[in-house]
Amino acid sequence: MAAVAAAAGTFARRMARSGVLFPRSSPQVWPQAARQPPGLLPAQRRAFSNNKILVELDTSSGVATMKFKSPPVNSLSLDFLTEFCISLEKLENDRACRGLIITSAIPRVFSSGLDITEMCGKSTEHYAEFWRAVQEMWIRLYGSNLVTVAAINGSSPAGGCLIALSCDYRIMVENPKYVIGLNEAQLGIVAPFWFKDTFVNAVGHRAAERSLQLGLLHSVPEAHRMGLVDEVVPEEKLQEKAVAVMAQWLALPDHARQLTKSMMRKTFRTLSSSHPKTPSRSHFQRTWRC
Ligand SMILES: CC/C=C\C/C=C\CCCC/C=C/C(=O)SCCNC(=O)CCNC(=O)[C@H](O)C(C)(C)COP(=O)(O)OP(=O)(O)OC[C@H]1O[C@@H](n2cnc3c(N)ncnc32)[C@H](O)[C@@H]1OP(=O)(O)O
């Protein structure tokens, strides 16, 4: 328990060093239209970057694009998760931003999921901090007031699939080599209940039961058929489609859409208010044999 508390403190300090407020306990409601401060020349584009993620915000449309750029496979390390939360928080605090498109700058991979090297041979405190960061990523993204669109341009197993599932809409590139799903059971581990719930919310109970028990990674057409992704497009159409979908969602009044989203996703507050126990060191070691 002390380790969990220490990890919470460490993660909070990482976020605080970035200048980001932490944590935010309740959803914020943003103005309906992107606004420029009066008297300033409108800067059409703003960008910020770290060594894991690139973010570009088009202030005229209010749409930001977040590109994962952590070779080789955009695995979700503690550093990646921290940078993700910082970037998302910056966008949420930017009154010019109303929507977020998440995609990958790495060819053929959206995200390979949790970084397996973070779950081997580390201290109890590290596991606790890592796990806290995984939860925080999901809480912030699933509960975000922004319109979130996943533009999935590569394979997206396990934690990568969770990121896509946490968005409001998923568009995936048609490619016979790409797969998506929660394959934890294949790895001999169990997807946490909040992974499972997010999956069930997208595909329904029966499809989720089969897919999760078998740890299936689905082809793109199969993922589309079962509702795991909403749309499938050729690679060259991905960005255009993501922008079009975003425009459709942003055409609604923010407050009505945000409150509806918050109502539909209210279960996330359960986890938010009571972070479940961090898996023990022996659990990690047993699972990954390290
Ligand atoms: C609870 C606590 C106790 C125990 C754990 C139990 C539960 C908690 C966790 C539950 C939730 C877990 C969620 C997860 O996300 S686990 C991670 C699951 N991810 C995967 O299974 C993906 C594995 N990777 C792939 O399938 C392929 O790599 C991928 C993404 C399709 C890309 O293929 P390709 O382009 O061919 O690239 P390579 O396979 O050659 O990989 C290149 C390079 O990257 C390394 N790598 C791949 N995935 C990961 C990863 N997830 N973490 C870290 N590193 C990864 C791979 O080893 C290669 O490295 P190398 O040094 O050999 O070049």
Side-chain angles (χ1 to χ4, degrees), residues 57 132 145 175 208 213 221 236 289:
L57 170 61
R132 165 94 189 184
N145 270 323
N175 184 314
Q213 285 195 55
E236 66 276 12
R289 296 189 184 83

Side-chain angles (χ1 to χ4, degrees), residues 196-218:
K196 179 266 292 176
D197 287 348
T198 314
F199 195 84
V200 169
N201 288 347
V203 305
H205 196 273
R206 174 59 196 146
E209 187 173 48
R210 178 171 171 272
S211 182
L212 294 182
Q213 285 195 55
L214 295 173
L216 297 180
L217 286 172
H218 301 279

Side-chain angles (χ1 to χ4, degrees), residues 27-28 43 67 116 123 141 179 185 203 212 216 244 259 263 277:
Q28 288 169 265
K67 282 189 183 156
I116 289 166
S123 65
L141 182 58
V179 289
V203 305
L212 294 182
L216 297 180
L259 289 171
M263 177 180 68
K277 259 176 55 185

Side-chain angles (χ1 to χ4, degrees), residues 32 98 147 246-257 260:
Q32 181 174 342
R98 299 174 60 215
V147 174
M246 186 60 82
Q248 184 193 6
W249 284 61
L250 289 182
L252 275 85
D254 278 351
H255 67 280
R257 184 195 53 72
T260 307

Side-chain angles (χ1 to χ4, degrees), residues 71-76 107-119 130-131 134 155-160 177 179 182-184 187-192 195 217 278-288:
V73 288
N74 288 330
S75 63
L76 307 177
R108 299 182 300 283
V109 182
F110 179 72
S111 165
S112 68
L114 302 191
D115 191 317
I116 289 166
T117 64
E118 297 278 11
M119 299 187 262
F130 177 64
W131 200 242
V134 175
S155 287
S156 199
K177 294 197 172 141
V179 289
L182 294 183
N183 59 324
E184 280 81 353
L187 307 174
I189 58 180
V190 179
F195 279 53
L217 286 172
T278 306
S280 68
R281 183 186 171 88
S282 63
H283 189 166
F284 276 111
Q285 287 170 335
R286 229 181 12 254
T287 304
W288 303 106

Side-chain angles (χ1 to χ4, degrees), residues 133-232:
V134 175
Q135 292 172 358
E136 197 64 40
M137 175 271 291
W138 177 75
I139 289 165
R140 284 175 183 269
L141 182 58
Y142 193 70
S144 175
N145 270 323
L146 302 173
V147 174
T148 50
V149 173
I152 312 163
N153 50 350
S155 287
S156 199
C161 179
L162 182 73
I163 290 187
L165 279 170
S166 304
C167 291
D168 295 312
Y169 200 83
R170 286 161 286 288
I171 308 162
M172 192 160 182
V173 165
E174 58 191 19
N175 184 314
K177 294 197 172 141
Y178 296 170
V179 289
I180 183 167
L182 294 183
N183 59 324
E184 280 81 353
Q186 287 267 4
L187 307 174
I189 58 180
V190 179
F193 74 90
W194 38 285
F195 279 53
K196 179 266 292 176
D197 287 348
T198 314
F199 195 84
V200 169
N201 288 347
V203 305
H205 196 273
R206 174 59 196 146
E209 187 173 48
R210 178 171 171 272
S211 182
L212 294 182
Q213 285 195 55
L214 295 173
L216 297 180
L217 286 172
H218 301 279
S219 68
V220 180
E222 197 178 21
H224 188 213
R225 271 197 302 277
M226 66 195 283
L228 182 50
V229 298
D230 297 298
E231 235 171 307
V232 172

Side-chain angles (χ1 to χ4, degrees), residues 28-36 46 56-65 88 90-101 144-149 168 245-258 261:
Q28 288 169 265
V29 174
W30 298 107
Q32 181 174 342
R35 295 204 306 234
Q36 289 289 338
R46 286 208 280 273
E56 288 172 328
L57 170 61
D58 179 342
T59 53
S60 59
S61 63
V63 178
T65 301
L88 182 55
K90 274 187 188 163
L91 291 172
E92 297 221 327
N93 287 335
D94 189 329
R95 300 178 80 200
C97 183
R98 299 174 60 215
L100 172 63
I101 296 169
S144 175
N145 270 323
L146 302 173
V147 174
T148 50
V149 173
D168 295 312
V245 166
M246 186 60 82
Q248 184 193 6
W249 284 61
L250 289 182
L252 275 85
D254 278 351
H255 67 280
R257 184 195 53 72
Q258 287 166 348
K261 177 172 179 175

